[in-house]
Amino acid sequence: RERLHFPELSREEDLLQTLGSEMQRLLHLLDGLLDLSRYQSGLQELDLKQCDPAELIVQAAERFTHKATARQISLQVNAQQGLPLVCLDRVQLERVLDNLLGNALRHSQDGGQIRLQAHSQDERVFISVEDQGEGIAYSQQARIFEPFVQVGRRKGGAGLGLALCKEIIQLHGGHIRVNSSPGMGARFYLELPIQASTQGSV
Protein backbone atom coordinates (compact mmCIF):
# COMPACT_ATOMS: atom_id res chain seq x y z
CA ARG A 1 0.00 0.00 0.00
CA GLU A 2 2.87 2.36 0.82
CA ARG A 3 4.69 1.60 -2.44
CA LEU A 4 1.69 1.69 -4.78
CA HIS A 5 -0.03 4.90 -5.83
CA PHE A 6 -3.07 4.84 -8.10
CA PRO A 7 -5.48 7.59 -9.17
CA GLU A 8 -8.14 8.20 -6.56
CA LEU A 9 -11.10 6.82 -8.53
CA SER A 10 -9.25 4.08 -10.40
CA ARG A 11 -10.23 0.41 -10.26
CA GLU A 12 -6.87 -0.44 -8.70
CA GLU A 13 -7.37 2.07 -5.88
CA ASP A 14 -10.85 0.73 -5.26
CA LEU A 15 -9.49 -2.83 -5.02
CA LEU A 16 -6.81 -1.75 -2.57
CA GLN A 17 -9.39 -0.04 -0.36
CA THR A 18 -11.60 -3.12 -0.45
CA LEU A 19 -8.65 -5.35 0.44
CA GLY A 20 -7.73 -3.06 3.33
CA SER A 21 -11.25 -2.98 4.76
CA GLU A 22 -11.57 -6.78 4.49
CA MET A 23 -8.24 -7.23 6.26
CA GLN A 24 -9.44 -5.00 9.07
CA ARG A 25 -12.66 -7.00 9.29
CA LEU A 26 -10.72 -10.26 9.56
CA LEU A 27 -8.42 -8.82 12.21
CA HIS A 28 -11.47 -7.68 14.18
CA LEU A 29 -12.93 -11.18 13.90
CA LEU A 30 -9.69 -12.81 15.08
CA ASP A 31 -9.47 -10.42 18.04
CA GLY A 32 -13.05 -11.33 18.98
CA LEU A 33 -12.32 -15.05 18.76
CA LEU A 34 -9.21 -14.68 20.91
CA ASP A 35 -11.11 -12.64 23.50
CA LEU A 36 -13.92 -15.19 23.62
CA SER A 37 -11.41 -18.01 24.01
CA ARG A 38 -9.74 -16.24 26.96
CA TYR A 39 -13.05 -15.75 28.74
CA GLN A 40 -14.29 -19.29 28.15
CA SER A 41 -11.00 -20.83 29.27
CA GLY A 42 -10.85 -18.73 32.45
CA LEU A 43 -7.66 -16.91 31.43
CA GLN A 44 -9.19 -13.43 31.45
CA GLU A 45 -8.68 -11.53 34.70
CA LEU A 46 -10.67 -8.53 35.84
CA ASP A 47 -9.27 -5.25 37.12
CA LEU A 48 -11.92 -4.72 39.80
CA LYS A 49 -12.52 -1.25 41.19
CA GLN A 50 -15.44 0.64 42.73
CA CYS A 51 -17.48 2.29 39.96
CA ASP A 52 -20.59 4.44 39.83
CA PRO A 53 -23.18 2.71 37.57
CA ALA A 54 -24.96 6.03 36.93
CA GLU A 55 -21.72 7.52 35.60
CA LEU A 56 -21.16 4.43 33.45
CA ILE A 57 -24.44 4.77 31.57
CA VAL A 58 -24.15 8.55 31.21
CA GLN A 59 -20.70 8.24 29.66
CA ALA A 60 -21.84 5.36 27.46
CA ALA A 61 -24.63 7.53 26.08
CA GLU A 62 -22.16 10.35 25.45
CA ARG A 63 -19.96 8.05 23.36
CA PHE A 64 -22.89 7.39 21.01
CA THR A 65 -24.43 10.87 20.99
CA HIS A 66 -22.95 11.82 17.60
CA LYS A 67 -24.19 8.67 15.84
CA ALA A 68 -27.62 8.95 17.45
CA THR A 69 -27.97 12.64 16.61
CA ALA A 70 -27.09 12.00 12.97
CA ARG A 71 -30.12 9.71 12.75
CA GLN A 72 -32.34 11.81 15.03
CA ILE A 73 -32.45 9.02 17.61
CA SER A 74 -33.10 10.13 21.18
CA LEU A 75 -30.76 8.69 23.84
CA GLN A 76 -32.46 8.86 27.23
CA VAL A 77 -30.62 8.10 30.47
CA ASN A 78 -32.41 7.40 33.73
CA ALA A 79 -30.48 6.39 36.86
CA GLN A 80 -31.97 5.82 40.28
CA GLN A 81 -30.85 8.34 42.87
CA GLY A 82 -28.23 7.14 45.36
CA LEU A 83 -27.09 4.08 43.44
CA PRO A 84 -24.42 2.12 45.33
CA LEU A 85 -20.95 1.75 43.90
CA VAL A 86 -20.31 -1.55 42.16
CA CYS A 87 -17.02 -3.46 42.20
CA LEU A 88 -16.29 -4.18 38.54
CA ASP A 89 -13.84 -3.94 35.67
CA ARG A 90 -14.75 -0.59 34.14
CA VAL A 91 -13.12 -1.22 30.77
CA GLN A 92 -14.94 -4.52 30.33
CA LEU A 93 -18.31 -3.10 31.39
CA GLU A 94 -17.84 -0.22 28.97
CA ARG A 95 -17.25 -2.81 26.28
CA VAL A 96 -20.55 -4.51 27.14
CA LEU A 97 -22.48 -1.23 27.13
CA ASP A 98 -20.89 -0.14 23.84
CA ASN A 99 -21.89 -3.42 22.25
CA LEU A 100 -25.49 -3.17 23.47
CA LEU A 101 -25.78 0.47 22.41
CA GLY A 102 -24.25 -0.24 19.02
CA ASN A 103 -26.76 -3.05 18.47
CA ALA A 104 -29.63 -0.85 19.63
CA LEU A 105 -28.66 1.86 17.15
CA ARG A 106 -28.29 -0.61 14.30
CA HIS A 107 -31.75 -2.04 14.91
CA SER A 108 -33.48 1.31 15.53
CA GLN A 109 -35.42 3.32 13.00
CA ASP A 110 -34.37 6.90 12.32
CA GLY A 111 -36.17 9.19 14.75
CA GLY A 112 -36.56 6.44 17.35
CA GLN A 113 -35.59 6.28 20.99
CA ILE A 114 -33.08 4.31 23.05
CA ARG A 115 -33.24 4.24 26.84
CA LEU A 116 -30.45 3.45 29.30
CA GLN A 117 -31.55 2.82 32.87
CA ALA A 118 -29.96 1.76 36.14
CA HIS A 119 -31.44 0.85 39.50
CA SER A 120 -30.53 -1.27 42.51
CA GLN A 121 -32.40 -3.97 44.42
CA ASP A 122 -31.35 -6.60 46.98
CA GLU A 123 -27.58 -6.01 46.84
CA ARG A 124 -27.59 -6.01 43.06
CA VAL A 125 -27.54 -3.34 40.37
CA PHE A 126 -29.56 -3.62 37.17
CA ILE A 127 -28.56 -1.80 33.98
CA SER A 128 -30.73 -1.96 30.87
CA VAL A 129 -30.53 -0.84 27.25
CA GLU A 130 -33.87 -0.67 25.47
CA ASP A 131 -34.65 0.13 21.82
CA GLN A 132 -37.75 0.45 19.66
CA GLY A 133 -36.49 -1.68 16.79
CA GLU A 134 -37.93 -4.72 15.07
CA GLY A 135 -37.53 -6.92 18.14
CA ILE A 136 -36.34 -10.52 18.34
CA ALA A 137 -38.34 -13.59 17.39
CA TYR A 138 -39.18 -15.79 20.37
CA SER A 139 -37.54 -18.77 18.66
CA GLN A 140 -34.22 -16.90 18.47
CA GLN A 141 -34.07 -15.49 21.99
CA ALA A 142 -32.75 -18.70 23.57
CA ARG A 143 -29.72 -18.66 21.24
CA ILE A 144 -28.97 -14.95 21.06
CA PHE A 145 -25.95 -15.15 23.41
CA GLU A 146 -24.31 -18.02 21.53
CA PRO A 147 -21.25 -17.30 19.32
CA PHE A 148 -21.91 -16.53 15.63
CA VAL A 149 -25.66 -16.17 16.11
CA GLN A 150 -27.14 -13.07 14.44
CA VAL A 151 -30.78 -12.11 14.65
CA GLY A 152 -33.07 -9.57 13.05
CA ARG A 153 -33.06 -8.13 9.56
CA ARG A 154 -30.22 -5.66 10.14
CA LYS A 155 -27.31 -8.01 10.68
CA GLY A 156 -23.71 -6.95 11.04
CA GLY A 157 -20.43 -8.13 12.49
CA ALA A 158 -19.58 -11.75 13.18
CA GLY A 159 -22.14 -12.56 15.86
CA LEU A 160 -19.57 -12.55 18.68
CA GLY A 161 -20.59 -9.37 20.51
CA LEU A 162 -23.40 -10.73 22.67
CA ALA A 163 -21.44 -13.93 23.39
CA LEU A 164 -18.58 -11.77 24.73
CA CYS A 165 -21.05 -9.68 26.74
CA LYS A 166 -22.36 -12.84 28.38
CA GLU A 167 -18.86 -14.05 29.29
CA ILE A 168 -17.90 -10.64 30.74
CA ILE A 169 -21.03 -10.37 32.87
CA GLN A 170 -20.77 -13.95 34.09
CA LEU A 171 -17.14 -13.37 35.05
CA HIS A 172 -18.43 -10.55 37.28
CA GLY A 173 -20.84 -13.01 38.91
CA GLY A 174 -23.83 -11.48 37.13
CA HIS A 175 -26.36 -12.29 34.42
CA ILE A 176 -27.42 -10.79 31.09
CA ARG A 177 -30.92 -11.33 29.72
CA VAL A 178 -33.17 -10.09 26.95
CA ASN A 179 -36.85 -9.24 26.92
CA SER A 180 -38.33 -8.72 23.46
CA SER A 181 -41.42 -9.14 21.36
CA PRO A 182 -41.34 -9.10 17.54
CA GLY A 183 -42.06 -5.61 16.28
CA MET A 184 -41.89 -4.14 19.80
CA GLY A 185 -38.17 -3.53 20.29
CA ALA A 186 -35.76 -5.26 22.66
CA ARG A 187 -34.59 -4.67 26.21
CA PHE A 188 -31.25 -6.10 27.32
CA TYR A 189 -30.53 -5.91 31.01
CA LEU A 190 -27.51 -6.67 33.13
CA GLU A 191 -27.72 -7.91 36.70
CA LEU A 192 -24.53 -7.28 38.67
CA PRO A 193 -23.65 -7.98 42.32
CA ILE A 194 -22.59 -4.89 44.24
CA GLN A 195 -19.69 -6.74 45.83
CA ALA A 196 -17.03 -8.47 43.74
CA SER A 197 -17.59 -12.16 43.14
CA THR A 198 -14.92 -14.78 43.65
CA GLN A 199 -15.01 -15.39 39.88
CA GLY A 200 -13.76 -11.91 39.21
CA SER A 201 -10.94 -11.76 41.75
CA VAL A 202 -7.46 -11.02 40.45
Side-chain angles (χ1 to χ4, degrees), residues 164-182:
L164 278 168
C165 289
K166 178 183 177 182
E167 295 294 335
I168 291 171
I169 298 302
Q170 287 185 339
L171 195 58
H172 281 82
H175 303 280
I176 180 171
R177 297 182 175 90
V178 63
N179 185 1
S180 178
S181 298

Side-chain angles (χ1 to χ4, degrees), residues 14 22 30 34-35 39 65-66 72 75 78 100 104 117 125 127 137 153 168 176 178 183 187-188 192 194 199:
D14 183 61
E22 288 300 303
L30 288 172
L34 289 171
D35 287 343
Y39 281 110
T65 296
H66 180 72
Q72 297 182 319
L75 284 178
N78 183 16
L100 295 180
Q117 301 182 79
V125 164
I127 298 175
R153 296 187 299 273
I168 291 171
I176 180 171
V178 63
R187 179 173 179 259
F188 288 85
L192 295 163
I194 293 174
Q199 289 176 281

Side-chain angles (χ1 to χ4, degrees), residues 12-40:
E12 293 82 359
E13 178 65 20
D14 183 61
L15 288 172
L16 278 177
Q17 290 184 2
T18 300
L19 180 61
S21 62
E22 288 300 303
M23 288 291 294
Q24 290 300 317
R25 188 179 67 84
L26 287 173
L27 287 172
H28 183 71
L29 173 60
L30 288 172
D31 286 342
L33 288 170
L34 289 171
D35 287 343
L36 186 63
S37 176
R38 280 198 298 270
Y39 281 110
Q40 292 181 333

Side-chain angles (χ1 to χ4, degrees), residues 3-202:
R3 293 194 303 268
L4 298 174
H5 299 283
F6 297 106
E8 185 176 348
L9 299 179
S10 65
R11 181 174 180 272
E12 293 82 359
E13 178 65 20
D14 183 61
L15 288 172
L16 278 177
Q17 290 184 2
T18 300
L19 180 61
S21 62
E22 288 300 303
M23 288 291 294
Q24 290 300 317
R25 188 179 67 84
L26 287 173
L27 287 172
H28 183 71
L29 173 60
L30 288 172
D31 286 342
L33 288 170
L34 289 171
D35 287 343
L36 186 63
S37 176
R38 280 198 298 270
Y39 281 110
Q40 292 181 333
S41 62
L43 296 177
Q44 179 68 42
E45 294 185 339
L46 299 178
D47 182 16
L48 296 172
K49 296 178 182 177
Q50 295 291 326
C51 296
D52 181 358
E55 181 185 358
L56 277 176
I57 64 172
V58 168
Q59 293 182 353
E62 290 174 349
R63 290 194 294 273
F64 284 83
T65 296
H66 180 72
K67 291 182 179 179
T69 301
R71 296 178 51 199
Q72 297 182 319
I73 294 175
S74 171
L75 284 178
Q76 297 190 355
V77 179
N78 183 16
Q80 176 185 319
Q81 293 292 323
L83 279 174
L85 297 178
V86 181
C87 193
L88 50 80
D89 187 319
R90 186 185 189 95
V91 172
Q92 297 303 323
L93 256 293
E94 287 177 347
R95 183 176 189 178
V96 170
L97 291 174
D98 286 356
N99 185 276
L100 295 180
L101 273 171
N103 287 346
L105 278 170
R106 187 165 66 250
H107 292 281
S108 291
Q109 299 288 341
D110 291 357
Q113 181 184 100
I114 296 173
R115 291 191 294 179
L116 289 85
Q117 301 182 79
H119 72 277
S120 64
Q121 181 181 346
D122 300 330
E123 299 301 314
R124 302 181 84 78
V125 164
F126 297 84
I127 298 175
S128 64
V129 178
E130 182 178 1
D131 65 58
Q132 298 175 327
E134 72 261 26
I136 304 167
Y138 296 116
S139 60
Q140 295 177 312
Q141 291 181 26
R143 300 180 56 239
I144 195 170
F145 297 106
E146 296 177 10
F148 306 111
V149 172
Q150 299 186 61
V151 299
R153 296 187 299 273
R154 302 184 182 185
K155 297 179 181 180
L160 291 174
L162 289 177
L164 278 168
C165 289
K166 178 183 177 182
E167 295 294 335
I168 291 171
I169 298 302
Q170 287 185 339
L171 195 58
H172 281 82
H175 303 280
I176 180 171
R177 297 182 175 90
V178 63
N179 185 1
S180 178
S181 298
M184 300 295 290
R187 179 173 179 259
F188 288 85
Y189 57 98
L190 318 174
E191 178 185 344
L192 295 163
I194 293 174
Q195 298 298 324
S197 71
T198 55
Q199 289 176 281
S201 60
V202 294

